[in-house]
Amino acid sequence: MIQLDRLDAGRLDKARAIVRDLGSVLVAFSGGVDSTLLLKLALDELGPERAVAVLASSPAYPEEEQEEARGLAAELGARLVEVDTDEVELEAYRRNNPDRCFHCKEELFGTLEPIRQELGLEQLAYGATAGDEGDHRPGHGSALRRGVRFPLLEAGMAKHEVRAAARRLGLSNWNKASFACLSSRIPHGTPVTVEALRQIEAAERSLKALGFRQVRVRHHGDVARIEVDPDEITRLVEQRAAAVEGVRAAGYKFVAIDLEGYSTGSLNRTWRG
């Protein structure tokens, strides 16, 4: 449970001021809590004519996540522009080296910049938060290189503060489970293919249908390694038969449970050593 007293009102006010200073903005919107809070602040401070959301779709994102994002944009009263991105077609992305996210963001921001210009908006922004720059986030390097703004990070807002602020502002997804693109389930050095992405998507969908909120299916060839929150591992074992059935139906031959539980960026160990 997120504690509201962990919200630093000064940092939220600073984020508001940074957003106001943008003048007008195209918000890279995914439906996650970070970009939703950023969009909410932009709408509040700039108004719907000067704050527009843009949703990018590709095989690396499940359709159910896209549908949820569309619903959230409508809930906020935001204008939503939709585009397709082709990062999965890029050789530098497909080969899945540790800089994969850089090439993803290059494709994303390169696609969004002409839209920003066409709409006559002054800035492009996305929902990076304080702490992202300390993790392995090569995509943030693309944002820096291209002059993309990140008001939440600039204001020093950490993830727990973003969630607390989202709850205080009445955002329905304030406690939404963290999500990263499906390619993040594939170990570095293993090529990203649309087939693997669809396999991962189907396996994770089957586990969410069993009621698991925070789920990752790490893709190791024929082996699916399931991560859920540590306090849900016992329940996963209890529902082992149904979990195995769903994951094998997605195309995996072997199903394993990671006893350590869900961990952000756990596959980074495959190249950090």
Side-chain angles (χ1 to χ4, degrees):
M1 182 63 68
I2 305 301
Q3 299 298 318
L4 291 183
D5 59 6
R6 298 182 69 195
L7 172 61
D8 185 318
R11 280 196 278 270
L12 179 57
D13 288 343
K14 184 176 180 181
R16 287 189 181 277
I18 292 169
V19 168
R20 279 196 302 273
D21 287 345
L22 296 179
S24 60
V25 64
L26 181 65
V27 176
F29 181 65
S30 67
V33 63
D34 303 332
S35 64
T36 304
L37 177 62
L38 177 57
L39 179 58
K40 168 66 173 171
L41 296 180
L43 290 168
D44 286 352
E45 300 302 322
L46 302 172
E49 297 303 316
R50 294 189 295 152
V52 178
V54 58
L55 176 66
S57 297
S58 85
Y61 294 91
E63 179 55 30
E64 62 187 24
E65 289 286 325
Q66 305 300 90
E67 280 298 322
E68 187 173 333
R70 294 181 186 109
L72 282 164
E75 188 179 304
L76 292 175
R79 177 182 177 186
L80 181 67
V81 177
E82 297 198 42
V83 298
D84 292 323
T85 54
D86 298 317
E87 66 272 14
V88 178
E89 301 302 316
L90 300 175
E91 175 58 30
Y93 181 96
R94 288 200 310 270
R95 65 175 173 248
N96 198 19
N97 286 341
D99 64 350
R100 182 195 69 238
C101 291
F102 173 82
H103 301 290
C104 176
K105 286 296 190 291
E106 284 285 280
E107 168 71 9
L108 174 65
F109 297 143
T111 300
L112 300 190
E113 178 59 20
I115 296 172
R116 180 195 69 78
Q117 295 178 15
E118 181 180 343
L119 294 174
L121 301 170
E122 297 176 53
Q123 302 287 343
L124 173 61
Y126 85 122
T129 63
D132 284 348
E133 77 275 23
D135 196 3
H136 178 68
R137 304 282 183 176
H140 189 60
S142 173
L144 291 169
R145 191 177 81 83
R146 290 177 171 268
V148 177
R149 298 294 297 275
F150 30 87
L152 304 180
L153 190 157
E154 292 173 42
M157 293 188 71
K159 186 73 171 189
H160 71 269
E161 292 181 304
V162 168
R163 289 191 182 278
R167 184 178 182 185
R168 180 173 292 181
L169 295 176
L171 300 183
S172 61
N173 67 339
W174 72 272
N175 202 25
K176 175 181 169 63
S178 297
F179 183 81
C181 79
L182 296 172
S183 299
S184 67
R185 281 62 155 170
I186 303 175
H188 291 302
T190 300
V192 174
T193 65
V194 173
E195 179 184 18
L197 296 173
R198 294 287 73 83
Q199 195 172 352
I200 295 163
E201 180 181 3
E204 290 191 355
R205 186 188 307 117
S206 73
L207 294 169
K208 289 176 181 178
L210 295 176
F212 295 99
R213 176 177 172 274
Q214 187 74 73
V215 174
R216 295 289 186 271
V217 171
R218 307 298 186 183
H219 180 89
H220 301 276
D222 288 336
V223 179
R225 176 170 57 86
I226 302 171
E227 295 180 8
V228 296
D229 280 334
D231 59 1
E232 288 201 306
I233 290 175
T234 298
R235 185 164 70 86
L236 179 58
V237 173
E238 291 170 349
Q239 295 185 267
R240 177 181 61 84
V244 168
E245 180 182 6
V247 174
R248 290 192 66 182
Y252 291 99
K253 295 181 180 178
F254 304 97
V255 183
I257 298 173
D258 191 320
L259 296 181
E260 189 174 358
Y262 167 69
S263 175
T264 302
S266 65
L267 284 178
N268 287 341
R269 302 173 201 164
T270 63
W271 63 271
R272 282 179 173 169

